[in-house]
Amino acid sequence: MHVLLALLYVFLVAAPACASLPTKGDSIRNTIHNIINIAQITLVHIKKLRTKLPVAPQIEVTNPSIAGLTSISHGLGILDNQLQSPFTELFGQIQADVSSLEGRVRSLALTMDCPVQARPSGETSDDLYPDSHLYLTLTKVQRYLEKLLLNRDKLKVC
């Protein structure tokens, strides 16, 4: 009888601790981990796509800043819009990845009570050189994600 009471006591005391919801800190760490994983996977997709394209010339690009969650969310929104150009339909998976990243970063920023800018409006491009636009967009996304991974600590600040 004492064994049953002891087991019941252990079950009642230990069960709530085992079944507790994740803390805000756990949620933030998990989200940052997911963002880093998606960025790494997207870079793999870009590298695979580059093997299917003719060799691209060296392109110098300027990307939005990576100062914190607010700027990262805005930068990913800009890149997501550029990936939705009619000249970049080849980038379907990459665009989906960047869109997912932007949503997760925006959600993380809101969780951390960071100010979040309105999502950048889409810009339509009537580019006369679609191949150049394709390479330029791909290079921008690749360099931005590489920079994001190097500055992953910026995912912890507004």
Side-chain angles (χ1 to χ4, degrees), residues 8-21:
L8 180 62
Y9 176 77
V10 168
F11 176 73
L12 290 175
V13 171
C18 295
S20 66
L21 294 173

Side-chain angles (χ1 to χ4, degrees), residues 12 37 53-54 60 93 102 110 113 142:
L12 290 175
N37 282 341
L53 297 172
E60 278 301 311
Q93 181 61 53
E102 191 271 335
L110 291 172
D113 298 322
Q142 181 177 359

Side-chain angles (χ1 to χ4, degrees), residues 69-71 73-75 78 102 106 109-110 114-120:
L69 290 170
T70 302
S71 66
S73 173
H74 184 72
I78 291 169
E102 191 271 335
R106 179 175 292 276
L110 291 172
C114 297
V116 179
Q117 299 174 357
R119 194 164 192 290

Side-chain angles (χ1 to χ4, degrees), residues 1 9 17 19 24 28 31 48-51 53 63 65-66 74-75 80 91 101 119 122-123 136 151 158:
M1 179 71 169
Y9 176 77
K24 185 176 180 179
I28 289 170
T31 302
K48 284 175 98 175
L49 181 60
R50 283 198 182 275
T51 63
L53 297 172
N63 271 322
S65 72
I66 296 181
H74 184 72
D80 184 25
F91 300 160
L101 272 173
R119 194 164 192 290
E123 300 170 9
L136 181 65
N151 294 287
C158 291

Side-chain angles (χ1 to χ4, degrees), residues 19-134:
S20 66
L21 294 173
T23 64
K24 185 176 180 179
D26 292 338
S27 177
I28 289 170
R29 272 190 299 281
N30 288 338
T31 302
I32 290 172
H33 181 73
N34 288 338
I35 289 168
I36 290 168
N37 282 341
I38 293 170
Q40 290 170 332
I41 290 168
T42 305
L43 285 171
V44 170
H45 290 154
I46 290 171
K47 288 174 184 167
K48 284 175 98 175
L49 181 60
R50 283 198 182 275
T51 63
K52 297 176 184 176
L53 297 172
V55 176
Q58 289 292 1
I59 300 173
E60 278 301 311
V61 295
T62 56
N63 271 322
S65 72
I66 296 181
L69 290 170
T70 302
S71 66
I72 294 169
S73 173
H74 184 72
L76 288 169
I78 291 169
L79 293 173
D80 184 25
N81 287 340
Q82 291 174 354
L83 286 166
Q84 293 180 27
S85 164
F87 304 115
T88 57
E89 69 270 353
L90 188 60
F91 300 160
Q93 181 61 53
I94 295 166
Q95 189 275 323
D97 292 345
V98 170
S99 183
S100 175
L101 272 173
E102 191 271 335
R104 287 175 190 261
V105 169
R106 179 175 292 276
S107 174
L108 179 61
L110 291 172
T111 300
M112 294 177 59
D113 298 322
C114 297
V116 179
Q117 299 174 357
R119 194 164 192 290
S121 61
E123 300 170 9
T124 56
S125 174
D126 57 349
D127 200 339
L128 297 175
Y129 305 101
D131 289 341
S132 297
H133 180 77
L134 185 116

